[in-house]
Amino acid sequence: AGIGWALHALARYPEWQELVASEGRAMGSVPQFDQLAVTRRVVSEILRLYPPAPLLARCAARKMELGGYAVRKGQTVIVGIYPMQRHRTIWDRPDTFDPDRWLPGAAVPDAWMPFGTGPRMCIAAHFAQAEMAVVLARILARVRLEPAGPEPQVSLKVTTGSLSGLWGIAHKREP
């Protein structure tokens, strides 16, 4: 789903699409993750806007207070990742696609947790980010995308998806 959301977004932001495509063309036949600085920022922003899991459920290990509410030991606590990663008190322009918020040295809020956090964080988080970056760069090195179809209707069920699909048109790039 993450690559689909990324292709959808990049079709709507051709300046970012071209930067990713340029990195894809420059990387040669052997992908080098460290050569994909812009693409990695794009991936981080896509994961902020469209986290793979829109919420996390956790069991309280002990009695505590959370946001002024009493939580019993064993009680289920739901963490809304999707709304937290778009919250206006945490993020500047929270609904705007802005990979520059991930420039080196930028302060990243603790609210960015598309793969969870702590001991139960997704074990494949780093692999997934690297895979997304390499696949995006490879695809966009070969095709140019343009938007098509309706705006997606975001669905927050088990994963972050679109009820209306993610539409676009791909055009082969000249070598």
Side-chain angles (χ1 to χ4, degrees):
I3 291 172
W5 283 113
L7 293 172
H8 168 78
L10 290 168
R12 283 155 175 72
Y13 295 94
E15 65 282 6
W16 287 104
Q17 181 181 162
E18 290 309 312
L19 291 170
V20 171
S22 177
E23 286 186 341
R25 287 189 298 273
M27 104 171 119
S29 61
V30 179
Q32 298 295 322
F33 189 60
D34 61 337
Q35 295 174 341
L36 301 174
V38 170
T39 308
R40 290 192 331 254
R41 291 188 352 241
V42 166
V43 167
S44 292
E45 184 67 348
I46 291 300
L47 291 171
R48 183 187 70 80
L49 290 169
Y50 305 102
L55 60 88
L56 298 174
R58 296 293 184 258
C59 183
R62 58 183 169 76
K63 179 181 171 182
M64 68 179 77
E65 185 176 305
L66 185 63
Y69 294 92
V71 178
R72 298 179 315 275
K73 179 180 179 177
Q75 186 173 354
T76 301
V77 177
I78 305 293
V79 180
I81 302 298
Y82 182 90
M84 182 172 61
Q85 292 190 167
R86 290 173 175 254
H87 201 283
R88 60 184 164 76
T89 63
I90 299 171
W91 302 91
D92 180 42
R93 300 175 342 279
D95 294 318
T96 301
F97 176 75
D98 181 12
D100 279 343
R101 71 177 83 235
W102 304 99
L103 284 166
V108 177
D110 289 337
W112 189 79
M113 55 176 77
F115 298 102
T117 189
R120 294 201 49 205
M121 181 175 168
C122 175
I123 194 168
H126 296 292
F127 174 77
Q129 291 172 72
E131 179 184 42
M132 282 181 69
V134 170
V135 169
L136 284 173
R138 286 281 191 226
I139 290 172
L140 293 174
R142 292 171 174 79
V143 299
R144 180 181 53 78
L145 301 172
E146 66 178 75
E151 280 299 309
Q153 296 175 8
V154 176
S155 169
L156 303 175
K157 292 187 179 176
V158 176
T159 62
T160 304
S162 172
L163 297 174
S164 54
L166 298 171
W167 297 88
I169 300 170
H171 301 278
K172 185 176 180 178
R173 290 183 187 269
E174 297 299 320

